[in-house]
PDB file of all heavy atoms in Angstrom:
ATOM      1  N   GLU A 171     -25.132  -9.170   8.459  1.00 96.00           N
ATOM      2  CA  GLU A 171     -25.326  -7.848   9.057  1.00 96.00           C
ATOM      3  C   GLU A 171     -24.456  -7.655  10.298  1.00 96.00           C
ATOM      4  O   GLU A 171     -23.806  -6.613  10.458  1.00 96.00           O
ATOM      5  CB  GLU A 171     -26.806  -7.654   9.412  1.00 96.00           C
ATOM      6  CG  GLU A 171     -27.118  -6.268   9.918  1.00 96.00           C
ATOM      7  CD  GLU A 171     -28.600  -6.038  10.171  1.00 96.00           C
ATOM      8  OE1 GLU A 171     -29.436  -6.882   9.782  1.00 96.00           O
ATOM      9  OE2 GLU A 171     -28.914  -4.997  10.782  1.00 96.00           O
ATOM     10  N   LYS A 172     -24.414  -8.661  11.177  1.00 97.00           N
ATOM     11  CA  LYS A 172     -23.600  -8.534  12.387  1.00 97.00           C
ATOM     12  C   LYS A 172     -22.119  -8.405  12.034  1.00 97.00           C
ATOM     13  O   LYS A 172     -21.418  -7.552  12.581  1.00 97.00           O
ATOM     14  CB  LYS A 172     -23.819  -9.735  13.307  1.00 97.00           C
ATOM     15  CG  LYS A 172     -22.988  -9.669  14.579  1.00 97.00           C
ATOM     16  CD  LYS A 172     -23.200 -10.883  15.472  1.00 97.00           C
ATOM     17  CE  LYS A 172     -22.295 -10.820  16.688  1.00 97.00           C
ATOM     18  NZ  LYS A 172     -22.383 -12.025  17.523  1.00 97.00           N
ATOM     19  N   PHE A 173     -21.646  -9.231  11.124  1.00 95.00           N
ATOM     20  CA  PHE A 173     -20.244  -9.180  10.706  1.00 95.00           C
ATOM     21  C   PHE A 173     -19.896  -7.793  10.178  1.00 95.00           C
ATOM     22  O   PHE A 173     -18.895  -7.194  10.572  1.00 95.00           O
ATOM     23  CB  PHE A 173     -19.979 -10.253   9.634  1.00 95.00           C
ATOM     24  CG  PHE A 173     -18.559 -10.290   9.141  1.00 95.00           C
ATOM     25  CD1 PHE A 173     -17.616 -11.084   9.770  1.00 95.00           C
ATOM     26  CD2 PHE A 173     -18.164  -9.542   8.045  1.00 95.00           C
ATOM     27  CE1 PHE A 173     -16.298 -11.126   9.319  1.00 95.00           C
ATOM     28  CE2 PHE A 173     -16.861  -9.570   7.590  1.00 95.00           C
ATOM     29  CZ  PHE A 173     -15.929 -10.372   8.229  1.00 95.00           C
ATOM     30  N   MET A 174     -20.730  -7.277   9.277  1.00 95.00           N
ATOM     31  CA  MET A 174     -20.450  -5.976   8.679  1.00 95.00           C
ATOM     32  C   MET A 174     -20.521  -4.862   9.717  1.00 95.00           C
ATOM     33  O   MET A 174     -19.738  -3.904   9.655  1.00 95.00           O
ATOM     34  CB  MET A 174     -21.406  -5.716   7.510  1.00 95.00           C
ATOM     35  CG  MET A 174     -21.219  -6.707   6.358  1.00 95.00           C
ATOM     36  SD  MET A 174     -19.527  -6.815   5.738  1.00 95.00           S
ATOM     37  CE  MET A 174     -19.320  -5.202   5.012  1.00 95.00           C
ATOM     38  N   ASN A 175     -21.435  -4.975  10.679  1.00 98.00           N
ATOM     39  CA  ASN A 175     -21.503  -3.977  11.752  1.00 98.00           C
ATOM     40  C   ASN A 175     -20.232  -4.002  12.599  1.00 98.00           C
ATOM     41  O   ASN A 175     -19.736  -2.948  13.017  1.00 98.00           O
ATOM     42  CB  ASN A 175     -22.730  -4.200  12.629  1.00 98.00           C
ATOM     43  CG  ASN A 175     -24.017  -3.797  11.930  1.00 98.00           C
ATOM     44  OD1 ASN A 175     -24.020  -3.019  10.983  1.00 98.00           O
ATOM     45  ND2 ASN A 175     -25.127  -4.337  12.393  1.00 98.00           N
ATOM     46  N   LEU A 176     -19.698  -5.193  12.846  1.00 98.00           N
ATOM     47  CA  LEU A 176     -18.465  -5.311  13.623  1.00 98.00           C
ATOM     48  C   LEU A 176     -17.264  -4.754  12.858  1.00 98.00           C
ATOM     49  O   LEU A 176     -16.391  -4.106  13.438  1.00 98.00           O
ATOM     50  CB  LEU A 176     -18.229  -6.767  14.033  1.00 98.00           C
ATOM     51  CG  LEU A 176     -19.247  -7.311  15.032  1.00 98.00           C
ATOM     52  CD1 LEU A 176     -19.120  -8.828  15.143  1.00 98.00           C
ATOM     53  CD2 LEU A 176     -19.104  -6.651  16.387  1.00 98.00           C
ATOM     54  N   VAL A 177     -17.217  -4.989  11.570  1.00 97.00           N
ATOM     55  CA  VAL A 177     -16.152  -4.410  10.740  1.00 97.00           C
ATOM     56  C   VAL A 177     -16.252  -2.890  10.791  1.00 97.00           C
ATOM     57  O   VAL A 177     -15.250  -2.193  10.962  1.00 97.00           O
ATOM     58  CB  VAL A 177     -16.239  -4.926   9.286  1.00 97.00           C
ATOM     59  CG1 VAL A 177     -15.322  -4.130   8.357  1.00 97.00           C
ATOM     60  CG2 VAL A 177     -15.896  -6.407   9.220  1.00 97.00           C
ATOM     61  N   SER A 178     -17.467  -2.362  10.661  1.00 98.00           N
ATOM     62  CA  SER A 178     -17.668  -0.910  10.721  1.00 98.00           C
ATOM     63  C   SER A 178     -17.257  -0.360  12.081  1.00 98.00           C
ATOM     64  O   SER A 178     -16.623   0.702  12.163  1.00 98.00           O
ATOM     65  CB  SER A 178     -19.130  -0.552  10.438  1.00 98.00           C
ATOM     66  OG  SER A 178     -19.453  -0.846   9.105  1.00 98.00           O
ATOM     67  N   LEU A 179     -17.607  -1.063  13.155  1.00 98.00           N
ATOM     68  CA  LEU A 179     -17.224  -0.650  14.499  1.00 98.00           C
ATOM     69  C   LEU A 179     -15.700  -0.569  14.615  1.00 98.00           C
ATOM     70  O   LEU A 179     -15.157   0.429  15.096  1.00 98.00           O
ATOM     71  CB  LEU A 179     -17.781  -1.622  15.539  1.00 98.00           C
ATOM     72  CG  LEU A 179     -17.350  -1.393  16.982  1.00 98.00           C
ATOM     73  CD1 LEU A 179     -17.926  -0.090  17.516  1.00 98.00           C
ATOM     74  CD2 LEU A 179     -17.792  -2.574  17.852  1.00 98.00           C
ATOM     75  N   ALA A 180     -15.016  -1.610  14.158  1.00 98.00           N
ATOM     76  CA  ALA A 180     -13.549  -1.635  14.207  1.00 98.00           C
ATOM     77  C   ALA A 180     -12.968  -0.487  13.388  1.00 98.00           C
ATOM     78  O   ALA A 180     -12.031   0.191  13.818  1.00 98.00           O
ATOM     79  CB  ALA A 180     -13.020  -2.971  13.705  1.00 98.00           C
ATOM     80  N   ASN A 181     -13.526  -0.257  12.221  1.00 97.00           N
ATOM     81  CA  ASN A 181     -13.028   0.794  11.342  1.00 97.00           C
ATOM     82  C   ASN A 181     -13.245   2.181  11.950  1.00 97.00           C
ATOM     83  O   ASN A 181     -12.334   3.013  11.945  1.00 97.00           O
ATOM     84  CB  ASN A 181     -13.696   0.687   9.974  1.00 97.00           C
ATOM     85  CG  ASN A 181     -13.096   1.640   8.976  1.00 97.00           C
ATOM     86  OD1 ASN A 181     -11.889   1.703   8.809  1.00 97.00           O
ATOM     87  ND2 ASN A 181     -13.952   2.406   8.318  1.00 97.00           N
ATOM     88  N   GLU A 182     -14.421   2.437  12.470  1.00 98.00           N
ATOM     89  CA  GLU A 182     -14.709   3.747  13.070  1.00 98.00           C
ATOM     90  C   GLU A 182     -13.829   3.994  14.290  1.00 98.00           C
ATOM     91  O   GLU A 182     -13.310   5.092  14.479  1.00 98.00           O
ATOM     92  CB  GLU A 182     -16.187   3.861  13.430  1.00 98.00           C
ATOM     93  CG  GLU A 182     -17.111   3.941  12.225  1.00 98.00           C
ATOM     94  CD  GLU A 182     -16.758   5.071  11.278  1.00 98.00           C
ATOM     95  OE1 GLU A 182     -16.487   6.205  11.746  1.00 98.00           O
ATOM     96  OE2 GLU A 182     -16.719   4.831  10.051  1.00 98.00           O
ATOM     97  N   TRP A 183     -13.651   2.957  15.128  1.00 97.00           N
ATOM     98  CA  TRP A 183     -12.801   3.094  16.300  1.00 97.00           C
ATOM     99  C   TRP A 183     -11.370   3.416  15.872  1.00 97.00           C
ATOM    100  O   TRP A 183     -10.734   4.316  16.409  1.00 97.00           O
ATOM    101  CB  TRP A 183     -12.844   1.814  17.136  1.00 97.00           C
ATOM    102  CG  TRP A 183     -12.034   1.916  18.381  1.00 97.00           C
ATOM    103  CD1 TRP A 183     -12.463   2.347  19.609  1.00 97.00           C
ATOM    104  CD2 TRP A 183     -10.637   1.633  18.525  1.00 97.00           C
ATOM    105  NE1 TRP A 183     -11.416   2.335  20.500  1.00 97.00           N
ATOM    106  CE2 TRP A 183     -10.283   1.903  19.856  1.00 97.00           C
ATOM    107  CE3 TRP A 183      -9.655   1.175  17.658  1.00 97.00           C
ATOM    108  CZ2 TRP A 183      -8.996   1.725  20.341  1.00 97.00           C
ATOM    109  CZ3 TRP A 183      -8.370   1.007  18.130  1.00 97.00           C
ATOM    110  CH2 TRP A 183      -8.049   1.277  19.466  1.00 97.00           C
ATOM    111  N   ALA A 184     -10.875   2.671  14.900  1.00 96.00           N
ATOM    112  CA  ALA A 184      -9.494   2.859  14.441  1.00 96.00           C
ATOM    113  C   ALA A 184      -9.292   4.248  13.835  1.00 96.00           C
ATOM    114  O   ALA A 184      -8.255   4.881  14.066  1.00 96.00           O
ATOM    115  CB  ALA A 184      -9.123   1.777  13.438  1.00 96.00           C
ATOM    116  N   LYS A 185     -10.253   4.729  13.070  1.00 96.00           N
ATOM    117  CA  LYS A 185     -10.146   6.071  12.477  1.00 96.00           C
ATOM    118  C   LYS A 185      -9.948   7.116  13.569  1.00 96.00           C
ATOM    119  O   LYS A 185      -9.123   8.019  13.426  1.00 96.00           O
ATOM    120  CB  LYS A 185     -11.413   6.419  11.690  1.00 96.00           C
ATOM    121  CG  LYS A 185     -11.444   5.947  10.275  1.00 96.00           C
ATOM    122  CD  LYS A 185     -12.640   6.595   9.605  1.00 96.00           C
ATOM    123  CE  LYS A 185     -13.210   5.732   8.528  1.00 96.00           C
ATOM    124  NZ  LYS A 185     -14.415   6.321   7.931  1.00 96.00           N
ATOM    125  N   LYS A 186     -10.703   6.990  14.644  1.00 97.00           N
ATOM    126  CA  LYS A 186     -10.597   7.952  15.750  1.00 97.00           C
ATOM    127  C   LYS A 186      -9.219   7.896  16.404  1.00 97.00           C
ATOM    128  O   LYS A 186      -8.774   8.872  16.999  1.00 97.00           O
ATOM    129  CB  LYS A 186     -11.690   7.685  16.788  1.00 97.00           C
ATOM    130  CG  LYS A 186     -13.075   8.039  16.301  1.00 97.00           C
ATOM    131  CD  LYS A 186     -14.132   7.671  17.325  1.00 97.00           C
ATOM    132  CE  LYS A 186     -15.517   7.921  16.751  1.00 97.00           C
ATOM    133  NZ  LYS A 186     -16.575   7.421  17.634  1.00 97.00           N
ATOM    134  N   GLN A 187      -8.557   6.750  16.308  1.00 95.00           N
ATOM    135  CA  GLN A 187      -7.222   6.584  16.899  1.00 95.00           C
ATOM    136  C   GLN A 187      -6.117   6.910  15.907  1.00 95.00           C
ATOM    137  O   GLN A 187      -4.933   6.859  16.257  1.00 95.00           O
ATOM    138  CB  GLN A 187      -7.039   5.136  17.384  1.00 95.00           C
ATOM    139  CG  GLN A 187      -8.142   4.600  18.249  1.00 95.00           C
ATOM    140  CD  GLN A 187      -8.442   5.458  19.457  1.00 95.00           C
ATOM    141  OE1 GLN A 187      -7.535   5.898  20.150  1.00 95.00           O
ATOM    142  NE2 GLN A 187      -9.715   5.715  19.707  1.00 95.00           N
ATOM    143  N   GLY A 188      -6.489   7.192  14.664  1.00 93.00           N
ATOM    144  CA  GLY A 188      -5.486   7.439  13.623  1.00 93.00           C
ATOM    145  C   GLY A 188      -4.863   6.146  13.122  1.00 93.00           C
ATOM    146  O   GLY A 188      -3.791   6.162  12.528  1.00 93.00           O
ATOM    147  N   MET A 189      -5.531   5.024  13.357  1.00 95.00           N
ATOM    148  CA  MET A 189      -5.015   3.716  12.946  1.00 95.00           C
ATOM    149  C   MET A 189      -5.668   3.279  11.634  1.00 95.00           C
ATOM    150  O   MET A 189      -6.664   3.855  11.197  1.00 95.00           O
ATOM    151  CB  MET A 189      -5.284   2.686  14.056  1.00 95.00           C
ATOM    152  CG  MET A 189      -4.560   2.995  15.347  1.00 95.00           C
ATOM    153  SD  MET A 189      -5.052   1.900  16.712  1.00 95.00           S
ATOM    154  CE  MET A 189      -4.280   0.355  16.215  1.00 95.00           C
ATOM    155  N   TYR A 190      -5.119   2.228  11.055  1.00 93.00           N
ATOM    156  CA  TYR A 190      -5.621   1.685   9.797  1.00 93.00           C
ATOM    157  C   TYR A 190      -6.260   0.322  10.019  1.00 93.00           C
ATOM    158  O   TYR A 190      -5.798  -0.460  10.838  1.00 93.00           O
ATOM    159  CB  TYR A 190      -4.476   1.531   8.781  1.00 93.00           C
ATOM    160  CG  TYR A 190      -3.857   2.839   8.392  1.00 93.00           C
ATOM    161  CD1 TYR A 190      -2.743   3.334   9.061  1.00 93.00           C
ATOM    162  CD2 TYR A 190      -4.385   3.596   7.354  1.00 93.00           C
ATOM    163  CE1 TYR A 190      -2.166   4.546   8.710  1.00 93.00           C
ATOM    164  CE2 TYR A 190      -3.818   4.802   6.988  1.00 93.00           C
ATOM    165  CZ  TYR A 190      -2.712   5.276   7.671  1.00 93.00           C
ATOM    166  OH  TYR A 190      -2.150   6.469   7.325  1.00 93.00           O
ATOM    167  N   VAL A 191      -7.311   0.053   9.258  1.00 95.00           N
ATOM    168  CA  VAL A 191      -7.970  -1.254   9.286  1.00 95.00           C
ATOM    169  C   VAL A 191      -7.949  -1.808   7.867  1.00 95.00           C
ATOM    170  O   VAL A 191      -8.233  -1.089   6.909  1.00 95.00           O
ATOM    171  CB  VAL A 191      -9.430  -1.153   9.781  1.00 95.00           C
ATOM    172  CG1 VAL A 191     -10.128  -2.496   9.685  1.00 95.00           C
ATOM    173  CG2 VAL A 191      -9.473  -0.649  11.205  1.00 95.00           C
ATOM    174  N   TYR A 192      -7.604  -3.072   7.765  1.00 92.00           N
ATOM    175  CA  TYR A 192      -7.577  -3.757   6.477  1.00 92.00           C
ATOM    176  C   TYR A 192      -8.461  -4.985   6.569  1.00 92.00           C
ATOM    177  O   TYR A 192      -8.519  -5.643   7.601  1.00 92.00           O
ATOM    178  CB  TYR A 192      -6.151  -4.210   6.137  1.00 92.00           C
ATOM    179  CG  TYR A 192      -5.124  -3.107   6.249  1.00 92.00           C
ATOM    180  CD1 TYR A 192      -4.460  -2.868   7.452  1.00 92.00           C
ATOM    181  CD2 TYR A 192      -4.820  -2.315   5.153  1.00 92.00           C
ATOM    182  CE1 TYR A 192      -3.511  -1.863   7.555  1.00 92.00           C
ATOM    183  CE2 TYR A 192      -3.870  -1.303   5.257  1.00 92.00           C
ATOM    184  CZ  TYR A 192      -3.221  -1.089   6.461  1.00 92.00           C
ATOM    185  OH  TYR A 192      -2.291  -0.102   6.562  1.00 92.00           O
ATOM    186  N   LEU A 193      -9.123  -5.308   5.493  1.00 88.00           N
ATOM    187  CA  LEU A 193      -9.854  -6.573   5.407  1.00 88.00           C
ATOM    188  C   LEU A 193      -8.980  -7.508   4.603  1.00 88.00           C
ATOM    189  O   LEU A 193      -8.664  -7.226   3.444  1.00 88.00           O
ATOM    190  CB  LEU A 193     -11.210  -6.398   4.731  1.00 88.00           C
ATOM    191  CG  LEU A 193     -12.244  -5.643   5.532  1.00 88.00           C
ATOM    192  CD1 LEU A 193     -13.509  -5.446   4.720  1.00 88.00           C
ATOM    193  CD2 LEU A 193     -12.544  -6.353   6.833  1.00 88.00           C
ATOM    194  N   TYR A 194      -8.572  -8.599   5.212  1.00 83.00           N
ATOM    195  CA  TYR A 194      -7.686  -9.529   4.536  1.00 83.00           C
ATOM    196  C   TYR A 194      -8.493 -10.490   3.679  1.00 83.00           C
ATOM    197  O   TYR A 194      -9.330 -11.234   4.199  1.00 83.00           O
ATOM    198  CB  TYR A 194      -6.844 -10.308   5.542  1.00 83.00           C
ATOM    199  CG  TYR A 194      -5.926 -11.275   4.860  1.00 83.00           C
ATOM    200  CD1 TYR A 194      -4.755 -10.830   4.269  1.00 83.00           C
ATOM    201  CD2 TYR A 194      -6.257 -12.610   4.756  1.00 83.00           C
ATOM    202  CE1 TYR A 194      -3.926 -11.698   3.609  1.00 83.00           C
ATOM    203  CE2 TYR A 194      -5.427 -13.488   4.099  1.00 83.00           C
ATOM    204  CZ  TYR A 194      -4.264 -13.033   3.524  1.00 83.00           C
ATOM    205  OH  TYR A 194      -3.453 -13.897   2.866  1.00 83.00           O
ATOM    206  N   ASP A 195      -8.236 -10.446   2.397  1.00 73.00           N
ATOM    207  CA  ASP A 195      -8.792 -11.385   1.446  1.00 73.00           C
ATOM    208  C   ASP A 195     -10.271 -11.602   1.696  1.00 73.00           C
ATOM    209  O   ASP A 195     -11.073 -10.708   1.507  1.00 73.00           O
ATOM    210  CB  ASP A 195      -8.000 -12.694   1.516  1.00 73.00           C
ATOM    211  CG  ASP A 195      -8.153 -13.537   0.265  1.00 73.00           C
ATOM    212  OD1 ASP A 195      -8.691 -13.058  -0.742  1.00 73.00           O
ATOM    213  OD2 ASP A 195      -7.733 -14.693   0.324  1.00 73.00           O
ATOM    214  N   GLU A 196     -10.632 -12.759   2.163  1.00 71.00           N
ATOM    215  CA  GLU A 196     -12.031 -13.084   2.394  1.00 71.00           C
ATOM    216  C   GLU A 196     -12.122 -14.337   3.233  1.00 71.00           C
ATOM    217  O   GLU A 196     -11.115 -14.830   3.705  1.00 71.00           O
ATOM    218  CB  GLU A 196     -12.733 -13.266   1.075  1.00 71.00           C
ATOM    219  CG  GLU A 196     -12.025 -14.303   0.217  1.00 71.00           C
ATOM    220  CD  GLU A 196     -12.554 -14.324  -1.176  1.00 71.00           C
ATOM    221  OE1 GLU A 196     -13.509 -15.060  -1.402  1.00 71.00           O
ATOM    222  OE2 GLU A 196     -12.007 -13.614  -2.018  1.00 71.00           O
ATOM    223  N   ASP A 197     -13.298 -14.846   3.376  1.00 71.00           N
ATOM    224  CA  ASP A 197     -13.533 -15.980   4.256  1.00 71.00           C
ATOM    225  C   ASP A 197     -12.890 -17.257   3.722  1.00 71.00           C
ATOM    226  O   ASP A 197     -13.356 -17.845   2.766  1.00 71.00           O
ATOM    227  CB  ASP A 197     -15.038 -16.180   4.416  1.00 71.00           C
ATOM    228  CG  ASP A 197     -15.391 -17.241   5.436  1.00 71.00           C
ATOM    229  OD1 ASP A 197     -14.565 -17.530   6.314  1.00 71.00           O
ATOM    230  OD2 ASP A 197     -16.500 -17.791   5.348  1.00 71.00           O
ATOM    231  N   ARG A 198     -11.822 -17.644   4.350  1.00 69.00           N
ATOM    232  CA  ARG A 198     -11.116 -18.892   4.108  1.00 69.00           C
ATOM    233  C   ARG A 198     -10.649 -19.073   2.658  1.00 69.00           C
ATOM    234  O   ARG A 198     -10.496 -18.130   1.910  1.00 69.00           O
ATOM    235  CB  ARG A 198     -11.954 -20.063   4.608  1.00 69.00           C
ATOM    236  CG  ARG A 198     -12.121 -19.993   6.127  1.00 69.00           C
ATOM    237  CD  ARG A 198     -12.967 -21.107   6.672  1.00 69.00           C
ATOM    238  NE  ARG A 198     -14.387 -20.893   6.572  1.00 69.00           N
ATOM    239  CZ  ARG A 198     -15.113 -20.147   7.380  1.00 69.00           C
ATOM    240  NH1 ARG A 198     -14.552 -19.500   8.367  1.00 69.00           N
ATOM    241  NH2 ARG A 198     -16.402 -20.029   7.225  1.00 69.00           N
ATOM    242  N   TYR A 199     -10.416 -20.295   2.265  1.00 66.00           N
ATOM    243  CA  TYR A 199      -9.826 -20.636   0.972  1.00 66.00           C
ATOM    244  C   TYR A 199     -10.881 -21.333   0.129  1.00 66.00           C
ATOM    245  O   TYR A 199     -11.715 -22.042   0.674  1.00 66.00           O
ATOM    246  CB  TYR A 199      -8.632 -21.562   1.214  1.00 66.00           C
ATOM    247  CG  TYR A 199      -7.952 -22.043  -0.031  1.00 66.00           C
ATOM    248  CD1 TYR A 199      -6.985 -21.264  -0.635  1.00 66.00           C
ATOM    249  CD2 TYR A 199      -8.302 -23.249  -0.608  1.00 66.00           C
ATOM    250  CE1 TYR A 199      -6.365 -21.693  -1.787  1.00 66.00           C
ATOM    251  CE2 TYR A 199      -7.683 -23.678  -1.764  1.00 66.00           C
ATOM    252  CZ  TYR A 199      -6.716 -22.902  -2.343  1.00 66.00           C
ATOM    253  OH  TYR A 199      -6.118 -23.318  -3.480  1.00 66.00           O
ATOM    254  N   PRO A 200     -10.898 -21.245  -1.146  1.00 66.00           N
ATOM    255  CA  PRO A 200      -9.977 -20.521  -2.004  1.00 66.00           C
ATOM    256  C   PRO A 200     -10.414 -19.080  -2.215  1.00 66.00           C
ATOM    257  O   PRO A 200     -11.579 -18.746  -2.043  1.00 66.00           O
ATOM    258  CB  PRO A 200     -10.060 -21.290  -3.313  1.00 66.00           C
ATOM    259  CG  PRO A 200     -11.464 -21.786  -3.361  1.00 66.00           C
ATOM    260  CD  PRO A 200     -11.822 -22.081  -1.918  1.00 66.00           C
ATOM    261  N   SER A 201      -9.473 -18.264  -2.615  1.00 69.00           N
ATOM    262  CA  SER A 201      -9.789 -16.865  -2.900  1.00 69.00           C
ATOM    263  C   SER A 201     -10.836 -16.789  -3.999  1.00 69.00           C
ATOM    264  O   SER A 201     -10.824 -17.583  -4.936  1.00 69.00           O
ATOM    265  CB  SER A 201      -8.526 -16.126  -3.344  1.00 69.00           C
ATOM    266  OG  SER A 201      -7.614 -16.058  -2.281  1.00 69.00           O
ATOM    267  N   GLY A 202     -11.716 -15.835  -3.860  1.00 69.00           N
ATOM    268  CA  GLY A 202     -12.757 -15.638  -4.860  1.00 69.00           C
ATOM    269  C   GLY A 202     -14.059 -16.328  -4.536  1.00 69.00           C
ATOM    270  O   GLY A 202     -15.060 -16.131  -5.215  1.00 69.00           O
ATOM    271  N   ALA A 203     -14.096 -17.141  -3.488  1.00 71.00           N
ATOM    272  CA  ALA A 203     -15.301 -17.906  -3.169  1.00 71.00           C
ATOM    273  C   ALA A 203     -16.172 -17.248  -2.101  1.00 71.00           C
ATOM    274  O   ALA A 203     -17.316 -17.629  -1.925  1.00 71.00           O
ATOM    275  CB  ALA A 203     -14.921 -19.315  -2.717  1.00 71.00           C
ATOM    276  N   ALA A 204     -15.641 -16.261  -1.365  1.00 75.00           N
ATOM    277  CA  ALA A 204     -16.385 -15.562  -0.305  1.00 75.00           C
ATOM    278  C   ALA A 204     -17.040 -16.550   0.644  1.00 75.00           C
ATOM    279  O   ALA A 204     -18.225 -16.459   0.944  1.00 75.00           O
ATOM    280  CB  ALA A 204     -17.399 -14.594  -0.893  1.00 75.00           C
TER     281      ALA A 204
END
Side-chain angles (χ1 to χ4, degrees):
E171 185 176 350
K172 179 181 177 185
F173 180 89
M174 296 306 293
N175 287 339
L176 293 168
V177 169
S178 293
L179 174 67
N181 187 50
E182 291 305 315
W183 182 90
K185 274 190 210 177
K186 290 176 185 173
Q187 310 306 315
M189 296 172 72
Y190 296 93
V191 175
Y192 309 90
L193 290 176
Y194 180 78
D195 201 11
E196 55 190 271
D197 186 23
R198 295 179 278 280
Y199 178 85
S201 294

